[in-house]
């Protein structure tokens, strides 16, 4: 079975670009050559994106390969396949990794056990329900990555894959 998704490098120092390509190639099992462009949201850094096809779990593999690289901001998505949900991983140096299951309509689907944990922690005053729900939905990652996603004028159009 083949999965597909998109790997977005939102910002990376130029010296890391070949290493990022090698890491993605190692996960996907094919050579990867990204088209790097300047990242206006962080002068001196580059951005790139890769539409990929590979084995299910490749987005998680890319994330695992890059999660300790503290100078890179990225997202890796994987469309659903028969028997697996879609997923989005986001990484920022200040927040670490976010992972969210993505439903057919593109919404983040929060598993029941995670909701129960958040409610229990809020009930005993460890946190507030609002803060934890924002974390479950990836709001802090979205807030930090949004300026990098825009990528300035002339950014390529991203076509969404139809859900089947």
């Amino acid at each position: 079975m083949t999965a597909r998704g998109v790997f977005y490098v939102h910002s990376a120092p130029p010296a890391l670009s070949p290493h990022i390509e090698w890491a993605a190639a190692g996960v996907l099992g094919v050579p990867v050559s990204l088209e790097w462009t300047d990242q206006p949201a962080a002068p001196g850094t580059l951005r790139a994106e890769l539409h990929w096809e590979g084995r299910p779990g490749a987005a998680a593999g890319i994330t695992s390969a890059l999660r300790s690289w503290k100078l890179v901001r990225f997202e890796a998505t994987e469309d659903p396949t028969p028997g697996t949900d879609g997923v989005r991983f986001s990484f920022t140096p200040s927040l670490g990794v976010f992972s969210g299951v993505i439903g057919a309509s593109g919404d983040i689907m929060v598993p029941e056990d995670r909701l129960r944990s958040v409610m229990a922690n809020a009930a005993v005053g460890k946190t507030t329900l609002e803060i934890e729900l924002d974390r479950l939905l990836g709001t802090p990652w979205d807030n930090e990555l949004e300026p990098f996603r825009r990528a300035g004028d002339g950014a390529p159009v991203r076509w969404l894959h139809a859900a089947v």
Side-chain angles (χ1 to χ4, degrees), residues 23-24 27 55 57-67 76 78 89:
V27 171
R55 61 174 174 70
I62 291 169
T63 301
S64 292
L66 298 177
R67 71 181 299 156
E78 188 167 317
F89 296 93

Side-chain angles (χ1 to χ4, degrees), residues 19 25 28-29 31 51 58 65 68 110 118 126 128 135 156 158-160:
H19 302 284
L28 297 172
H51 294 262
S68 64
V110 180
V118 162
K126 288 184 179 179
T128 67
R135 289 187 60 77
R158 289 170 187 64
W159 294 102
L160 300 177

Side-chain angles (χ1 to χ4, degrees), residues 2 4 7 12 28 34 40 48 50 79-81 86 94 119 126-127 140 162:
T2 300
R4 66 180 177 182
F7 171 45
L28 297 172
L34 299 173
L50 172 69
D79 294 342
T81 57
S94 65
M119 291 187 317
K126 288 184 179 179
T127 186

